[in-house]
Amino acid sequence: MSDNQNLGPIKSVHLKDVAYEALHRAIINLELIPGQAISENMLVVKLGISKTPIRAALGRLEAEGMVETVPFKGTFVTSVDDEDARNLIELRAAIEVAAIAAACQRATEEQLEELRQFARTAYLHEVEGNHESALNDIGEFHDRLVQLAGNARLESAFSALKGPLERIRALSGAQPDSISTSSDDHEKIIDAVVERDAERAGRLVNDHLYRVLDLYRKSQETDTVLGE
């Protein structure tokens, strides 16, 4: 495990929440890599808190599919194999294509301009060397895109996928030029929504997400362990 600032002593009255945030960031940023064992004793030392809030945080992460407990072996960061990644992208594409069709009918010009800013700032953050912020902007773009549908059921379904998808984003985002390519894709998607062209917007979203899957697969082939 790398010597990352996310796993430092915690000072908070809401220790289980802050422990969750620290572990979540460490998993998403691949400080804790897929398949890695997680020792409660190690976390007690790293985070400077007791096992009780750590166990609560791990329980929340397990419910989100970020970690898994194997009987008699321990707790591990959940791996994302090729089939699971493909299944996640297929489901995500179905949700986002449905969401963007609704957004073409309901989104205001102001909302779309705000959405466009996430595409642009992601690229700028990457150019500035702030890769984590770039990934956050890209994730925020997709969150906002689904919200523009105005459909709570779609939002709930999308939210349930976020944990595993964030790891795919992190791994695919480590590939060369992936952030700039994603930002370009996002701009084209917004243009289609501005023109209220649901068919083109849906096709662009679908192509974009399967490009992310290809980048994820490339990260596995090259053993790249880093950041859509």
Side-chain angles (χ1 to χ4, degrees), residues 104-180:
C104 283
Q105 298 179 8
R106 300 169 185 166
T108 67
E109 298 299 324
E110 181 179 7
Q111 288 173 322
L112 293 174
E113 185 55 36
E114 182 180 60
L115 189 63
R116 195 184 296 277
Q117 292 307 311
F118 287 105
R120 292 173 176 171
T121 55
Y123 173 75
L124 292 174
H125 279 139
E126 184 72 1
V127 169
E128 293 166 355
N130 195 339
H131 186 68
E132 184 175 350
S133 291
L135 288 176
N136 289 339
D137 288 333
I138 284 176
E140 187 69 19
F141 175 91
H142 287 277
D143 289 345
R144 297 293 184 93
L145 180 62
V146 173
Q147 289 169 12
L148 290 181
N151 186 320
R153 296 288 186 180
L154 280 177
E155 285 188 51
S156 179
F158 184 71
S159 180
L161 302 176
K162 287 184 67 172
L165 285 173
E166 283 179 314
R167 249 111 47 80
I168 292 175
R169 176 181 301 128
L171 288 160
S172 65
Q175 298 302 303
D177 300 321
S178 64
I179 299 296
S180 60

Side-chain angles (χ1 to χ4, degrees), residues 197-225:
D197 188 339
E199 182 178 352
R200 180 160 63 93
R203 185 173 63 252
L204 288 167
V205 165
N206 192 76
D207 290 349
H208 167 68
L209 294 177
Y210 278 93
R211 185 177 296 117
V212 170
L213 178 60
D214 287 341
L215 288 170
Y216 167 77
R217 286 170 169 163
K218 186 177 293 186
S219 78
Q220 301 305 287
E221 291 170 1
T222 59
D223 292 324
T224 300
V225 180

